[in-house]
Amino acid sequence: MTGDRSATDIFRLLADDTRVDILRAVAIAQYELEQVGSGAAELAFSEIYDHVDVENTSKLSYHLGELTGTYLRKSDDGYSLSHAGERIVRFILSRNYEQPESFGPEPVDGVCVFCGEDELEASLSHQFFRIDCMACEQQVTGQPITPAQVETWDGDALVQSVKLRSAEVAKQIRRGMCPECGAQLSADVVEVPGSALPDADSFVVVSTCEECLREYNSPLTYSVVYHPASIAFHWDRGVDVTAQGIWEFHEYVYKGRWTSEQVASDPDEYEVVLRHGDDAVRLHLDSTATVVQTERVRRESGEFRRS
Ligand SMILES: [Zn+2]
Ligand SMILES: [Zn+2]
């Protein structure tokens, strides 16, 4: 366990070119050694020595000793990356510390949540993929984007990769799991009367991670989009919401097709209705934004009834 060491101690271990080279070499050697179906390869001392530019075996031995326990695991068969070693070495290899290459502005599909116009442009700003509305000059969304993402995807495929990542993150948050650290999130529904979003959705789900202190905010309507009942409802109507970006949902909220309301208090309960033509899926949520009931309804003489 690392409980008695400070974060500074942990990071100080890496303030050395040879040690960073060792972690990189272990990842590369594992990558080269791994066979289909086998787990991560454990590397013998001599295999690491062959991959690292270090003066002699006693220097390597010293550095391995320093890294073991925090960034490396050691067993009778050799060395492998620890949980922290994995995170750090993937971070280093994918150069996640660099500024992604810039791109855009490029036109993208979708509608502005503020003014309803479809003049959206994507660009990169401060490591965020952002979409701005050319009509009202407001920022419509900002999604994190990595240098590796910009390096390996192009044009429409890059935009699609941003959508997929945001959908995967949203799915985990909906299930109450922190996408950063895997801890359990606590969620609350908060009413934001002065929200920049239209009146259609003034409720926001605030999900908080007490471990890594990340906070995630989502309109209540968007928080249920990746619920299986919504995925199936939309799929049956030719829409794959799992391949849609958050900003593509704005149109539904702007046009009043997706709405939320509070239907009970003490304890608080909410209802979200996602409409598509004369059909809708209705989801009931408790005060922690957990979906407790779903039903499909159909509009008959102006009213939505159970179908
Ligand atoms: Zn606009
Ligand atoms: Zn977390």
Side-chain angles (χ1 to χ4, degrees), residues 112 115 133 136:
C112 173
C115 74
C133 172
C136 70

Side-chain angles (χ1 to χ4, degrees), residues 13 155 157 217 266:
L13 285 175
N217 296 312
D266 292 323

Side-chain angles (χ1 to χ4, degrees), residues 103-303:
F103 71 85
E106 279 183 33
V108 286
D109 292 339
V111 159
C112 173
V113 72
F114 305 111
C115 74
E117 295 297 321
D118 62 353
E119 296 173 43
L120 304 184
E121 276 188 2
S123 61
L124 193 116
S125 165
H126 299 102
Q127 312 199 336
F128 276 87
F129 170 92
R130 64 180 276 174
I131 293 183
D132 291 277
C133 172
M134 295 298 103
C136 70
E137 298 185 340
Q138 296 200 70
Q139 183 178 339
V140 168
T141 192
Q143 303 285 333
I145 192 164
T146 66
Q149 224 175 326
V150 180
E151 180 75 30
T152 57
W153 302 92
D154 265 331
D156 288 347
L158 177 63
V159 176
Q160 193 60 35
S161 78
V162 174
K163 292 180 192 179
L164 288 178
R165 285 199 105 196
S166 76
E168 290 310 316
V169 164
K171 276 183 216 163
Q172 293 182 47
I173 298 167
R174 194 191 72 73
R175 294 276 186 174
M177 185 168 86
C178 176
E180 290 292 340
C181 76
Q184 187 168 5
L185 296 169
S186 61
D188 280 310
V189 180
V190 178
E191 186 166 10
V192 187
S195 164
L197 286 166
D199 296 340
D201 193 357
S202 54
F203 296 101
V204 172
V205 183
V206 181
S207 303
T208 312
C209 177
E210 301 291 343
E211 295 299 313
C212 75
L213 306 182
R214 265 301 295 265
E215 191 179 280
Y216 307 90
N217 296 312
S218 163
L220 192 59
T221 40
Y222 294 11
S223 76
V224 301
V225 175
Y226 301 113
H227 185 282
S230 158
I231 294 173
F233 171 79
H234 288 100
W235 180 257
D236 287 348
R237 283 152 190 82
V239 180
D240 180 4
V241 288
T242 65
Q244 288 196 307
I246 291 289
W247 64 93
E248 292 174 300
F249 301 149
H250 291 345
E251 181 177 1
Y252 310 142
V253 171
Y254 186 80
K255 292 184 173 163
R257 276 171 55 186
W258 290 7
T259 55
S260 66
E261 64 174 314
Q262 185 169 354
V263 292
S265 41
D266 292 323
D268 296 344
E269 282 174 41
Y270 303 87
E271 184 181 276
V272 172
V273 183
L274 310 177
R275 298 171 186 80
H276 193 281
D278 282 337
D279 300 319
V281 61
R282 198 146 63 184
L283 301 101
H284 282 263
L285 297 89
D286 66 15
S287 60
T288 66
T290 303
V291 174
V292 290
Q293 197 198 332
T294 72
E295 60 183 358
R296 289 194 187 187
V297 289
R298 205 176 156 73
R299 199 198 319 255
E300 281 167 21
S301 46
E303 290 282 299

